[in-house]
Amino acid sequence: MVAQFIPLALVLGIISLAIWFTQQRQRAEEPPGTGLKPGLRGWLAFLNVALWVGSLRSLVEFAKSFADQDPTVAKQFPLLSVADAVIGGLGLVLLVYTAWLLTRQSRRFLAAFHYLAASVVLIPPLSLLLGYLFLNVWYAVPVTVGAVMTSVDAQFVGQWVAGTLIIAAWLMYVRRSRRVAITCVR
């Protein structure tokens, strides 16, 4: 299953290298004193828009998860439903907060983006683990790890892998970008 993501990773790697080499050449050709100007421009503006669009999309998905939830499951496992809602809500709040910090050009943006990156990578597998533990320990429903792993479909894994690769690329940009360093200072 991981083999199907290798071409995507290679394409993203080639694009990243091309962007990096272009930036290095452009920086070497800049006359002294004519560097970047602070502000939400270029890739940083794109990231800002992506964070806000992602916030809206996450809000819709969060609301849809409540509408699509089976009421009998929520009644049978209320703590699990509440925990799932809390995890989703906290992720949404963190995403909106990070977008807001970037829009304000706050120096706290970098730390918030690191937390956002960690949440994108860690929340999906931790959510599965939490569900497994709640069912086995709290509700005494015998569920094996194998049953949990077979319930994970290719779409879930694909979205998690894609999200991890995308957030890793953005994290590298945010950490190394001169524009981020000179813009997010308030």
Side-chain angles (χ1 to χ4, degrees):
M1 183 163 27
V2 174
Q4 67 189 17
F5 297 106
I6 291 175
L8 174 64
L10 288 173
V11 168
L12 290 174
I14 291 169
I15 291 170
S16 299
L17 280 174
I19 290 170
W20 183 79
F21 282 121
T22 303
Q23 286 178 341
Q24 294 305 314
R25 191 185 75 228
Q26 185 180 24
R27 287 179 185 162
E29 294 172 356
E30 287 178 356
T34 61
L36 292 173
K37 306 256 187 279
L40 295 177
R41 296 179 179 94
W43 287 108
L44 191 57
F46 181 77
L47 176 60
N48 192 30
V49 170
L51 286 172
W52 283 112
V53 169
S55 297
L56 291 174
R57 182 177 176 263
S58 294
L59 180 63
V60 168
E61 290 295 322
F62 187 66
K64 186 180 172 190
S65 71
F66 283 112
D68 293 346
Q69 189 177 38
D70 185 5
T72 58
V73 173
K75 285 183 181 179
Q76 190 175 5
F77 306 111
L79 188 60
L80 189 59
S81 298
V82 168
D84 192 37
V86 167
I87 289 171
L90 289 174
L92 179 60
V93 167
L94 181 59
L95 182 57
V96 170
Y97 179 66
T98 304
W100 179 69
L101 287 175
L102 179 55
T103 302
R104 286 192 55 228
Q105 301 175 10
S106 171
R107 69 178 184 274
R108 295 183 189 135
F109 164 73
L110 189 59
F113 195 80
H114 279 86
Y115 289 123
L116 180 65
S119 74
V120 167
V121 173
L122 297 176
I123 283 179
L126 289 178
S127 182
L128 286 174
L129 178 65
L130 185 66
Y132 169 77
L133 290 175
F134 269 124
L135 287 173
N136 277 312
V137 176
W138 190 265
Y139 293 110
V141 175
V143 178
T144 64
V145 174
V148 171
M149 295 311 288
T150 56
S151 70
V152 174
D153 60 351
Q155 181 181 3
F156 175 85
V157 173
Q159 288 177 345
W160 180 73
V161 169
T164 299
L165 291 173
I166 290 167
I167 201 72
W170 279 116
L171 188 59
M172 287 187 333
Y173 167 75
V174 165
R175 292 184 64 166
R176 296 179 183 203
S177 171
R178 290 190 317 166
R179 183 174 306 278
V180 172
I182 64 174
T183 298
C184 297
V185 294
R186 292 183 190 179

